[in-house]
Amino acid sequence: MKKIILISLMSLMLSTNVSADTDGENSLSKKNSGDVKDCFEGVNRATFKFNQVLDNIIFEPVAKAYRVLPSPIRTGTGNALDNLSNLVTIPNNVLQGEFTKAGVNTGRFIVNTTVGVIGIFDVAKKIGFPEYEKEDYGQTLGVMGVGTGCYIVLPVLGPSTVRDTVGSFANLLGGDVWYNVTVANNTQHFSDFDYYASRLGSGIDFRAKNIDSFENLEKNSMDFYASVRSLYLQDRQQKIANSNAIIETQNDSDWEEIENQ
């Protein structure tokens, strides 16, 4: 259990969903990020700098090495990791009353896990299943009306809020479900290494897709910390509202487009 938590924390840090469309003026950093208060800004800024050091020393170099791999390998890896994350998304669909989406994502998971070889090939998309949308327990708490609480920057984990931090612990329990479904009950096809590698690989895959965009954001920001805070909070608000509009942010598919340009 301890190893599971450690690997999950590293993955969460790497896959922090912060995205941006920046300009030289960096007007976003000057905008109010809703009603969320930065109650611990001094501590948050110090933690933010600490996380930047870790990223520069460890995570970014690993992500750059990952980008050297052939595109089909990276695409297959990303597909498989997205498929496995259904084990967190599906219960959150149910908790949010989105039973149709829960059924669709269950169908996607079954098709891709079997015909798609553990999700390496997104067969479900090819046969007409709707695009996959991730859900997590932080989003579910938001849909249920739980307030965000103060903005927090967690060591290693990165940007969060009080509500999302609580949700992250539930996401870790979702990781235990993944472990029980695969490693514990189906050792013919999975091993402990597969589980741990998937958690870490998810973060590396996302970080590799966003290297250029993160660098551009930092370069064009008058206050990098404020930009990340604003964009993170906007992104979370969009996800909770299930909004398809892009409000000065971009989702994972947009990052793919940037990478392929």
Side-chain angles (χ1 to χ4, degrees):
M1 179 62 184
K2 185 180 294 184
K3 288 191 293 184
I4 293 173
I5 292 176
L6 288 175
I7 295 297
S8 299
L9 291 178
M10 291 181 68
S11 176
L12 283 169
M13 182 272 175
L14 283 164
S15 60
T16 299
N17 195 359
V18 180
S19 48
D21 181 12
T22 61
D23 54 40
E25 296 297 323
N26 187 35
S27 59
L28 290 178
S29 65
K30 303 173 184 177
K31 293 186 177 181
N32 187 351
S33 302
D35 297 325
V36 181
K37 295 182 178 179
D38 194 347
C39 309
F40 317 105
E41 183 170 354
V43 176
N44 283 341
R45 284 184 178 274
T47 306
F48 184 78
K49 290 181 179 179
F50 170 75
N51 289 343
Q52 280 186 279
V53 171
L54 285 182
D55 183 67
N56 291 335
I57 295 176
I58 301 174
F59 302 119
E60 184 176 359
V62 172
K64 286 182 175 179
Y66 174 80
R67 290 186 73 174
V68 177
L69 295 175
S71 180
I73 294 178
R74 288 184 282 117
T75 299
T77 300
N79 288 342
L81 295 168
D82 283 343
N83 183 56
L84 291 170
S85 67
N86 267 302
L87 292 171
V88 171
T89 292
I90 293 169
N92 279 286
N93 288 145
V94 174
L95 289 172
Q96 294 178 31
E98 298 176 337
F99 301 111
T100 300
K101 287 186 177 181
V104 169
N105 286 329
T106 299
R108 286 186 61 91
F109 179 73
I110 292 172
V111 170
N112 285 342
T113 301
T114 54
V115 183
V117 190
I118 321 176
I120 293 175
F121 304 101
D122 192 353
V123 178
K125 181 178 180 179
K126 295 182 182 300
I127 63 176
F129 276 81
E131 288 291 331
Y132 172 62
E133 297 179 11
K134 295 181 181 180
E135 297 283 349
D136 59 51
Y137 290 97
Q139 290 170 249
T140 295
L141 291 173
V143 171
M144 291 178 174
V146 177
T148 57
C150 295
Y151 176 73
I152 304 172
V153 179
L154 300 172
V156 183
L157 290 168
S160 187
T161 61
V162 172
R163 180 184 63 206
D164 287 346
T165 300
V166 173
S168 294
F169 286 104
N171 292 335
L172 292 179
L173 295 178
D176 279 342
V177 171
W178 193 104
Y179 180 85
N180 290 329
V181 168
T182 56
V183 178
N185 296 332
N186 193 0
T187 54
Q188 180 180 355
H189 300 292
F190 295 92
S191 66
D192 286 357
F193 174 80
D194 296 322
Y195 172 75
Y196 301 134
S198 74
R199 299 301 296 166
L200 185 57
S202 178
I204 294 173
D205 180 69
F206 183 85
R207 185 67 178 91
K209 291 174 181 176
N210 298 323
I211 287 176
D212 295 334
S213 298
F214 276 113
E215 289 179 351
N216 289 334
L217 174 60
E218 184 173 7
K219 179 180 179 180
N220 295 317
S221 294
M222 295 174 62
D223 184 345
F224 187 36
Y225 168 85
S227 294
V228 170
R229 177 185 61 199
S230 176
L231 294 166
Y232 174 82
L233 294 174
Q234 288 182 63
D235 185 69
R236 292 301 291 174
Q237 289 168 2
Q238 277 191 307
K239 284 179 168 54
I240 291 168
N242 288 324
S243 171
N244 292 323
I246 304 301
I247 307 175
E248 300 177 297
T249 63
Q250 296 173 313
N251 59 29
D252 287 359
S253 62
D254 294 315
W255 288 125
E256 292 273 12
E257 292 177 6
I258 291 172
E259 183 187 25
N260 293 329
Q261 287 180 352

